[in-house]
Amino acid sequence: MKQVGCTMDYSSCIFTICDKMNKDYGALFSKPCYTLHTPSSLAEPLNEEKVNKISYIGNLGYSRHLQLKSIGKALKDLKIQGAPDCIDVYSAESRPEILELMTEENGICFHGQISYDEVKKVMGESLAVIHTESFNESIASSVRYSVSTKIADSLASGTCILAYGPRDIASMSYLIDNDAAFCITDESELDGKLTELLSDSNKREK
């Protein structure tokens, strides 16, 4: 930390990847901070015809697979009329201890890795795309300044984002502060909020 402090002494400003880091680093190092948000390559919302699916695309590290399992099982158990009964998960993940939980019994249909063109198609046709981070305190601390690169594309796609995780992680607080996703920040609210999301197309559109 002493070396970091010395480096900051030579700096006139700090560029950060999220507003939370901007605020915390500005206070810690007494330097002006500027947030550089991850951009999207999508020039306009995707216009794919919607199908009956909720999708997760991306990395399953940091116990995200356990978060998806919770969502998948809740979705399967709720049996909401007309709603999908599983999450479609697209990931390059290959670790056996993670893949063994990616089952229909847990409300998950695992599809493996897909190309970026396929990512855009899945995003565009989904009722909602999922962003999630773990409620585990040590993991949450490790990713507190993390902002998934998929968030930018998810926002630009025009598809509703279902965000599930702790309020004080940068990605979650960004989505909450900008009213940019359907956010669930408490595990006890998962069933009720999922029902609300899937039963109200106006909420998803908003």
Side-chain angles (χ1 to χ4, degrees):
M1 192 62 189
K2 183 177 180 181
Q3 289 178 315
V4 173
C6 290
T7 300
M8 294 305 176
D9 286 342
Y10 283 101
S11 304
S12 58
C13 66
I14 303 169
F15 292 103
T16 65
I17 63 169
C18 63
D19 293 337
K20 182 175 177 60
M21 181 184 281
N22 185 314
K23 179 181 177 182
D24 291 352
Y25 276 37
L28 182 62
F29 298 111
S30 300
K31 297 281 185 178
C33 294
Y34 303 94
T35 302
L36 299 178
H37 291 290
T38 301
S40 171
S41 60
L42 298 178
E44 56 188 23
L46 302 171
N47 292 314
E48 300 285 345
E49 184 176 348
K50 295 297 183 186
V51 298
N52 196 28
K53 69 189 294 182
I54 298 176
S55 304
Y56 175 85
I57 306 165
N59 193 318
L60 297 181
Y62 293 102
S63 290
R64 294 185 184 102
H65 66 299
L66 298 179
Q67 296 289 98
L68 293 176
K69 178 185 174 184
S70 296
I71 299 171
K73 286 187 73 68
L75 189 63
K76 189 178 180 69
D77 293 343
L78 284 169
K79 295 183 174 66
I80 302 168
Q81 186 174 3
D85 58 2
C86 73
I87 300 165
D88 287 283
V89 174
Y90 303 85
S91 174
E93 182 59 60
S94 61
R95 285 170 286 183
E97 66 273 21
I98 292 179
L99 294 182
E100 68 182 11
L101 297 179
M102 300 289 102
T103 65
E104 291 188 26
E105 182 183 5
N106 288 329
I108 294 172
C109 296
F110 185 77
H111 300 280
Q113 187 175 16
I114 57 176
S115 69
Y116 185 60
D117 283 341
E118 291 172 307
V119 166
K120 291 189 288 185
K121 184 176 189 304
V122 168
M123 279 186 173
E125 69 185 12
S126 298
L127 298 178
V129 291
I130 296 171
H131 168 68
T132 188
E133 299 290 0
S134 177
F135 287 100
N136 178 283
E137 289 186 10
S138 63
I139 293 175
S141 178
S142 296
V143 300
R144 66 188 182 279
Y145 295 129
S146 172
V147 180
S148 168
T149 54
K150 286 290 187 301
I151 289 180
D153 281 347
S154 297
L155 289 168
S157 75
T159 294
C160 175
I161 299 174
L162 167 60
Y164 180 50
R167 176 181 293 273
D168 56 355
I169 289 179
S171 56
M172 291 295 297
S173 61
Y174 176 83
L175 293 171
I176 292 168
D177 291 346
N178 290 281
D179 196 20
F182 195 94
C183 298
I184 307 173
T185 58
D186 191 309
E187 294 169 276
S188 66
E189 297 179 346
L190 181 57
D191 287 0
K193 292 278 192 176
L194 263 181
T195 301
E196 185 180 357
L197 172 70
L198 292 169
S199 302
D200 192 337
S201 60
N202 290 328
K203 281 279 179 70
R204 295 197 300 273
E205 186 66 23
K206 178 178 179 295

